[in-house]
Amino acid sequence: MWRLPRALCVHAAKTSKLPGPWSRPAAFMSTLLINQPQYAWLKELGLREENEGVYNGSWGGRGEVITTYCPANNEPIARVRQASVADYEETVKKAKEAWKIWADIPAPKRGEIVRQIGDALREKIQVLGSLVSLEMGKILVEGVGEVQEYVDICDYAVGLSRMIGGPILPSESKTCASALIEQWNPVGLVGIINVYGWNNAIAMICGNVSASWKGAPTTSLISVAVTKIIAKVLEDNKLPGAICSLTCGGADIGTAMAKDERVNLLSFTGSTQVGKQVALMVQERFGRSLLELGGNNAIIANVLYGPLHTKQAVSMFLGAVEEAKKEGGTVVYGGKVMDRPGNYVEPTIVTGLAHDASIAHTETFAPILYVFKFKNEEEVFAWNNEVKQGLSSSIFTKDLGRIFRWLGPKGSDCGIVNVNIPTSGAEIGGAFGGEKHTGGGRESGSDAWKHYMRRSTCTINYSKDLPLAQGIKFQ
C-alpha cells in the first residue's frame, strides 16, 4: 500500500526551477543512479534523469525540481519536476471533462479497463517492486508485495464492477403500486493523497475519476512509473488520460486538494496530526473525506527490514529511544544507528516502561518494540484500547473463549482485529482501516466501495393516486 509517507509534504532535496536538464552540471547528472549500469532497469519503466511529475492526458509540470534518494545509501536516483498550483487547476478542469465520458461507461466495461491496468502492472511487477525497494527502502520481497497488492485489488474491483448496487426495499404504500429502491452513483472527482492502488481501482469501477494523485515527494518516481503504466492502458482504449491524473507536489498541492469544492472525495493516508488538518479543511466546505491515519499496532517486531525512509526518520528513531530511557525504559537490545551507508538502525527492544508511557502511545516509524508484562486478560485488553490510535491489533492464543472475547464488544477496539497472525498486511477482501485517531475510513473490500459513491433513496409511484408515507391525507 506504499504507506511510509504520512504527511502532506515530506521534504525532498530541491533544485532549480528551470525545466530542462541543461540547468544541472553534467558531472552531477552522471552521479545519478539511473545512469549507472546496474540501475538500467529503471529506464524499462520509462524513467529518465529528469521526469515530468504532472499527467492529465499529457505530461508536464511547472513546479520545483526535486531529487529522490535511495535510503539504502543516500545516493540520488533521479529527478522529478513537481506540479505548480496552476498545473493542479488545469488538471482538475481536465478531470471534470474526463468524468463526463467515464461516468457514461457501464460499470462492467469500466471493470474491463481496470482489469487491463492490473495485467499491465502484473507484467512489470518485478521491476516496479525493485523501484519501491530502491526509493522507499522496503526489502525487495515486500516491495514486490506492494505491487502485488495493487494487482490483487484490480482483480477484486473487476468482480465488484458487476455487483455494486442498492437493494429494492419494501414500500409501505397501501396502493401496492410503488417501488422503493436505493440508487448508487459515483461521487465524481476523487483526490488521493499517498496510497493510490486501493483507492483508484475501486473509485474507477464506481464511475469516478482520480482528479489528482499526490504521492509523497520522496517517492515521486514510483508515482510517475505507475502513472505511465496506467496512461498507456487508457491511451490504448482511446480514453482520456485525465481519468487517472497525477500531480506530484508538496503541501501547496495537498492544501489545494483539501480546500477544492470540485473534489467530491478526498482520500488521505498519513499521520494523525496532518489528518486533522486535512479533515478540518474538507469539513469546512462540507466535503467528504476518507482518512487512514496513525497505527501504533500492538504486536511483534519483524527483524527482516530495510533502511528507514529518510534521515529525518533516523533522527526520530534516536529521539524515541532517548525518550523511552527518560520515561524509565531499559534498552535491552539495539537502540543505535548502524555504522554503514544509508539509513539503517538496529532493531530495538525496550522493557520497563509503564503501559501508559507517552512514548509507547506515540507512533514511531522505526523498528522499536516496547514489551509489557500484564496480570490478566482484562488488564491487557484495556491497555490495547487505551491508545488513541485504533488501526490493527493481534492476539496469540489457543483459548477459544479468549479469542471471541478479543473479537467481542469488550475486546480490541481496532478496525483490524487479528488472531494468531501479525498486524502487518491485510486481506483485500475485507475493509481496511481503523477507529479513533486512525480516522474511521475504510478502503479495499467489503462495502468500502460505498465511500466512493453517493446514495439516493428513490420512491417510484406507478399508480394513478398520490399516496403519502405514514398514511397522511390532506383533507
Side-chain angles (χ1 to χ4, degrees):
M1 292 173 287
W2 303 336
R3 296 185 174 274
L4 269 179
R6 283 184 173 262
L8 270 174
C9 176
V10 182
H11 290 292
K14 296 178 181 178
T15 55
S16 170
K17 292 186 179 181
L18 294 175
W22 51 85
S23 60
R24 248 70 61 192
F28 192 74
M29 296 293 287
S30 65
T31 64
L32 297 174
L33 294 184
I34 196 170
N35 289 323
Q36 298 181 17
Q38 62 267 44
Y39 297 103
W41 52 268
L42 287 168
K43 296 179 180 179
E44 295 177 28
L45 294 168
L47 298 175
R48 308 188 300 264
E49 295 96 338
E50 296 261 359
N51 301 275
E52 295 166 314
V54 176
Y55 180 74
N56 50 33
S58 59
W59 289 92
R62 290 166 284 183
E64 292 182 296
V65 175
I66 62 110
T67 302
T68 69
Y69 288 83
C70 171
N73 52 27
N74 286 319
E75 293 185 13
I77 305 171
R79 293 184 177 75
V80 178
R81 191 178 311 126
Q82 306 286 282
S84 66
V85 174
D87 290 324
Y88 169 77
E89 286 293 327
E90 179 184 335
T91 297
V92 172
K93 290 177 182 177
K94 289 186 176 181
K96 284 179 68 69
E97 292 302 311
W99 180 79
K100 295 176 183 177
I101 297 172
W102 186 244
D104 281 342
I105 297 174
K109 296 295 184 182
R110 297 194 294 256
E112 165 59 18
I113 301 302
V114 173
R115 183 194 67 77
Q116 293 179 34
I117 291 173
D119 284 349
L121 291 167
R122 189 179 278 112
E123 291 177 3
K124 297 285 188 180
I125 192 167
Q126 290 297 327
V127 68
L128 268 177
S130 296
L131 175 58
V132 173
S133 178
L134 181 71
E135 192 175 35
M136 288 188 66
K138 292 200 172 194
I139 57 175
L140 179 58
V141 291
E142 192 174 7
V144 173
E146 294 285 2
V147 185
Q148 183 64 56
E149 200 166 50
Y150 191 175
V151 171
D152 290 345
I153 198 65
C154 286
D155 290 345
Y156 177 83
V158 173
L160 190 63
S161 69
R162 293 181 178 272
M163 298 170 63
I164 54 174
I168 299 175
L169 303 166
S171 171
E172 63 186 65
S173 172
K174 293 182 178 180
T175 66
C176 295
S178 63
L180 182 62
I181 66 172
E182 277 188 2
Q183 176 70 27
W184 291 84
N185 289 302
V187 294
L189 273 62
V190 175
I192 302 170
I193 298 179
N194 291 335
V195 176
Y196 187 61
W198 278 14
N199 284 282
N200 187 53
I202 303 297
M204 286 183 73
I205 62 100
C206 288
N208 304 296
V209 301
S210 296
S212 179
W213 171 27
K214 193 202 84 65
T218 50
T219 55
S220 293
L221 293 176
I222 296 170
S223 302
V224 171
V226 169
T227 301
K228 283 182 178 291
I229 291 171
I230 297 173
K232 178 66 164 54
V233 173
L234 295 175
E235 180 183 338
D236 289 348
N237 286 274
K238 296 180 171 54
L239 288 167
I243 290 171
C244 296
S245 299
L246 172 70
T247 50
C248 293
D252 55 343
I253 302 299
T255 300
M257 293 169 68
K259 292 183 175 182
D260 194 341
E261 293 188 355
R262 297 167 297 180
V263 176
N264 304 103
L265 170 67
L266 181 62
S267 176
F268 172 79
T269 302
S271 68
T272 298
Q273 179 183 5
V274 178
K276 287 180 181 179
Q277 300 173 26
V278 171
L280 288 172
M281 286 187 279
V282 174
Q283 182 59 40
E284 188 174 21
R285 59 178 174 87
F286 291 100
R288 186 188 297 193
S289 61
L290 195 168
L291 304 175
E292 200 282 282
L293 308 177
N296 204 22
N297 304 341
I299 187 60
I300 62 173
N302 187 342
V303 295
L304 179 62
Y305 64 94
L308 298 184
H309 186 48
T310 62
K311 292 180 179 179
Q312 181 184 17
V314 174
S315 297
M316 292 175 65
F317 163 80
L318 292 173
V321 171
E322 289 305 310
E323 183 60 30
K325 293 177 182 177
K326 290 179 182 178
E327 295 188 30
T330 299
V331 177
V332 297
Y333 186 86
K336 300 176 182 177
V337 177
M338 292 184 179
D339 185 16
R340 56 169 293 176
N343 304 322
Y344 290 91
V345 300
E346 296 176 338
T348 302
I349 300 174
V350 178
T351 62
L353 285 171
H355 66 89
D356 56 354
S358 63
I359 188 61
H361 287 218
T362 301
E363 183 182 32
T364 304
F365 284 94
I368 302 176
L369 174 65
Y370 304 111
V371 179
F372 305 98
K373 293 182 179 179
F374 59 92
K375 296 178 182 178
N376 53 53
E377 174 187 297
E378 182 180 5
E379 180 179 67
V380 75
F381 283 12
W383 291 359
N384 177 80
N385 295 344
E386 72 184 3
V387 299
K388 292 182 178 180
Q389 303 90 348
L391 177 56
S392 185
S393 59
S394 186
I395 190 172
F396 285 80
T397 180
K398 296 297 184 181
D399 185 326
L400 283 177
R402 179 165 293 160
I403 288 173
F404 284 98
R405 288 190 294 273
W406 173 245
L407 302 178
K410 295 182 180 178
S412 174
D413 63 0
C414 293
I416 298 172
V417 183
N418 292 336
V419 177
N420 297 330
I421 60 170
T423 57
S424 58
E427 295 196 33
I428 63 166
F432 182 93
E435 301 298 327
K436 302 184 292 188
H437 284 211
T438 301
R442 293 297 188 274
E443 300 165 335
S444 190
S446 186
D447 65 349
W449 60 269
K450 293 180 179 179
H451 278 292
Y452 306 90
M453 304 194 83
R454 57 178 179 83
R455 170 169 40 190
S456 301
T457 300
C458 310
T459 302
I460 304 169
N461 172 34
Y462 51 92
S463 74
K464 295 181 179 180
D465 299 319
L466 190 61
L468 298 175
Q470 290 79 48
I472 296 174
K473 295 182 179 180
F474 296 106
Q475 303 291 342

